[in-house]
Amino acid sequence: MTLPAEYDLAVLGAGPAGLAAAVTAARAGARVALVDAGDRVGGQYWRHREADDGTGHHHWRTLVRLRDSLPRLDFLARHAVWHVERTGAGFTLHTGHGEVRARALVVATGAYDRQLPFPGWTLPGVFTAGGAQALLKGHGVRAGSRVVVAGTGPFLLPVAAGLARAGAEVAGVFEAGSPAGFARSPRAVLGSPGKLAEGAGYLKTLVRNRIPYRTRTAVVAAHGDGEVRSVTVASLEEDWRIVAGSEREIACDTVAVGYGFTPQLEIPLQLGCETRLGADGSLIAVADRQQRASVPGVYLAGEVCGVGGAELSLVEGELAGLHAALTTVGAEPDRARVTRLLRRRESARAFAGAMHAAHPLRPGWLSWLDAPTLLCRCEEVSVGTVRGAIADLGATDARTVKLLARPGMGLCQGRVCGYATACLTAAEQGREPTAADLAASAGRPIAQPVRLGDLADG
């Protein structure tokens, strides 16, 4: 493929938000490059095999409709963007296959699993919930035979239901919080009937397969010699401290654990975009009503603006595409269409807010950790080592802890341990984690793994 010298718009990420933004802008007449590290469009939400007929995928018709518009734009598959910089009046994207230049940019890079450590979480057989789901969706592979699903949030339900439909024995779903919290936001919940129907379908699968569903319960340890053989689950107090005497052991060969998601912000931070703490305690990028970032020419859509699900991502992507097309090629968006999209965004954001309020992370999870528990898997930094850096070496923030004790300096560059390190550092000083604590591990000069030869060529 011969690429234009410069596109009107480059869209980073081919999930729901990025795909919607790219197709919308292309239909408005913009020359668009949709850039993604994967082989096909869909992102994590629509992860699928080439011959997949959509069975088990929600909003599959939406994906097909958007995918049918790909001839209008250039889809640059297997183009992992490792750095973006402003050059002149536009931007240059550095990828493993060369440079892509564009006048404007939509960042829709999504999110990844937010992980909380616990004793034994580094054993083979302990997966993130998203990892177990990706294996199943992308490759048709069950993560294990007898699986425990644990964590907090609605995402646990599709993971458990998918594993059960694939033939795995799901030994239980252990929700650290309680979905009863949704009752505090009846208007937001009733305004999203599709979400209610989706959740009811998952619960029906759990009932059909006689899968236990326990609230205020968590996996607090995993056990095994070389691989996981069992987990300890325990009932939790309101703040997630363990109820004394409630611990019990459950045999399993796999654990899928998920505590929500963390927005992938390397590119917005490289560009200097404003960030803040989101409703769920994650670091998010700030966008205005037109999905514009604080940096001119940059638009944001989807989970980078705060985790809210596929429906919200699609709406934000469409808004970003409309306004990016207005900026780059002067395509005036239909006002009625924008008004409808803004209403849908308000409704979807209200549901996302209710979800975060119903499934908050409570600080008591830190009490599950003992000194030998590894906080940083890559550098093998223990909880005790981090506490020592704070108590003995005087570290007062996550960045200093990183410099003194090395959590976040390994292969993942803090993607796995960054949130936990920020929480532990703040808790040791009797405060809540701040945006600065989280930014210490979220900003990376190289956003994706890249070969040294590509760096030399760039």
Side-chain angles (χ1 to χ4, degrees), residues 4-375:
E6 182 181 66
Y7 288 93
D8 295 314
L9 180 67
V11 179
L12 278 66
L19 190 52
V23 169
T24 299
R27 286 174 176 168
R31 293 176 302 167
V32 178
L34 177 59
V35 188
D36 195 272
D39 293 323
R40 55 187 67 90
V41 298
Q44 296 298 329
Y45 183 75
W46 281 314
R47 179 184 285 270
H48 59 285
R49 286 162 281 170
E50 190 170 359
D52 205 324
D53 63 358
T55 302
H57 289 272
H58 289 277
H59 301 292
W60 183 258
R61 290 182 180 178
T62 302
L63 170 62
V64 172
R65 175 175 56 81
L66 293 171
R67 192 172 58 188
D68 286 346
S69 294
L70 287 182
R72 295 174 177 262
L73 52 91
D74 288 342
F75 174 48
L76 308 183
R78 301 181 185 177
H79 279 60
V81 178
W82 58 268
H83 189 72
V84 177
E85 60 182 333
R86 181 177 286 281
T87 50
F91 302 90
T92 298
L93 286 63
H94 300 274
T95 82
H97 294 284
E99 297 178 350
V100 178
R101 293 181 173 83
R103 295 170 57 201
L105 189 67
V106 173
V107 181
T109 44
Y112 53 90
D113 290 83
R114 180 168 60 183
Q115 301 179 58
L116 302 184
F118 52 86
W121 74 305
T122 59
L123 281 169
V126 180
F127 289 77
T128 65
Q133 184 84 319
L135 275 176
L136 195 58
K137 281 186 172 183
H139 305 283
V141 174
R142 291 187 330 228
S145 298
R146 180 174 167 83
V147 187
V148 167
V149 178
T152 193
F155 184 59
L156 303 183
L157 297 178
V159 173
L163 288 166
R165 285 194 294 264
E169 178 188 359
V170 180
V173 178
F174 300 99
E175 164 64 64
S178 172
F182 276 107
R184 293 191 292 268
S185 307
R187 182 176 298 180
V189 174
L190 294 176
S192 300
K195 294 286 188 182
L196 293 174
E198 185 178 336
Y202 296 138
L203 289 172
K204 184 177 180 181
T205 300
L206 266 60
V207 170
R208 186 187 306 121
N209 289 275
R210 299 181 179 180
I211 298 171
Y213 180 80
R214 302 286 183 263
T215 61
R216 298 287 185 202
T217 310
V219 167
V220 297
H223 315 285
D225 183 12
E227 59 184 334
V228 67
R229 294 297 185 188
S230 65
V231 295
T232 294
V233 300
S235 300
L236 302 179
E237 302 281 1
E238 181 76 17
D239 68 350
W240 286 16
R241 292 181 182 274
I242 296 171
V243 175
S246 67
E247 300 93 336
R248 60 191 177 96
E249 196 166 330
I250 297 177
C252 62
D253 61 17
T254 306
V255 190
V257 186
Y259 286 94
F261 299 92
T262 296
Q264 193 158 317
L265 298 182
E266 292 92 346
I267 301 303
L269 289 171
Q270 285 180 5
L271 292 168
C273 297
E274 180 185 352
T275 58
R276 64 175 177 84
L277 283 182
D280 64 344
S282 291
L283 190 70
I284 66 173
V286 177
D288 67 8
R289 283 173 56 85
Q290 296 182 5
Q291 300 301 139
R292 294 178 300 188
S294 60
V295 174
V298 179
Y299 295 80
L300 306 167
E303 312 290 45
V304 294
C305 304
V307 174
E311 184 176 348
L312 177 57
S313 293
L314 286 166
V315 172
E316 290 183 345
E318 191 170 345
L319 283 167
L322 285 172
H323 290 106
L326 171 62
T327 299
T328 55
V329 295
E332 190 74 37
D334 178 74
R335 291 186 178 181
R337 179 182 181 185
V338 171
T339 299
R340 288 194 299 271
L341 288 170
L342 290 174
R343 288 174 180 165
R344 286 174 55 195
R345 185 176 65 182
E346 182 180 358
S347 176
R349 282 185 174 175
F351 183 87
M355 176 184 68
H356 294 315
H359 295 280
L361 267 60
R362 303 295 190 185
W365 69 267
L366 290 162
S367 67
W368 310 346
L369 311 179
D370 54 19
T373 301
L374 287 184
L375 185 69

Side-chain angles (χ1 to χ4, degrees), residues 371-388:
T373 301
L374 287 184
L375 185 69
C376 172
R377 304 166 66 117
C378 300
E379 292 292 294
E380 298 185 345
V381 180
S382 70
V383 169
T385 299
V386 170
R387 286 175 173 156

Side-chain angles (χ1 to χ4, degrees), residues 403-418:
L403 294 173
L404 294 176
R406 296 190 60 79
M409 287 195 174
L411 291 174
C412 83
Q413 288 291 288
R415 290 175 177 84
V416 175
C417 67

